[in-house]
Amino acid sequence: GWAALVVAGPLAFTAVGVLASILQPLAQAEISVFVLSSFDTDYILLKQETLTRATNVLMAAGHTIT
């Protein structure tokens, strides 16, 4: 019952605020997530039933979903 959004990477280690810019709109929409971070990207796990709403929220916040 889980879906994953993968942040396009690799991300520079000096990139600051990338994850926060994704999580803030999801938190405001009351969408719960579980985040895994690796050395070059981030994975946002969320319940499958919230995937469509989450992608709509992120696109409205200016993020590109592919």
Side-chain angles (χ1 to χ4, degrees), residues 4-50:
L5 299 174
V6 181
V7 178
L11 300 174
F13 190 69
T14 57
V16 177
V18 174
L19 194 55
S21 74
I22 296 168
L23 298 181
Q24 182 192 26
L26 294 175
Q28 289 176 334
E30 298 183 351
I31 298 172
S32 297
V33 300
F34 180 81
V35 177
L36 296 170
S37 295
S38 72
F39 65 95
D40 64 349
T41 195
D42 297 301
Y43 303 88
I44 297 114
L45 300 163
L46 52 132
K47 295 300 281 182
Q48 182 69 41
E49 61 265 15
T50 64

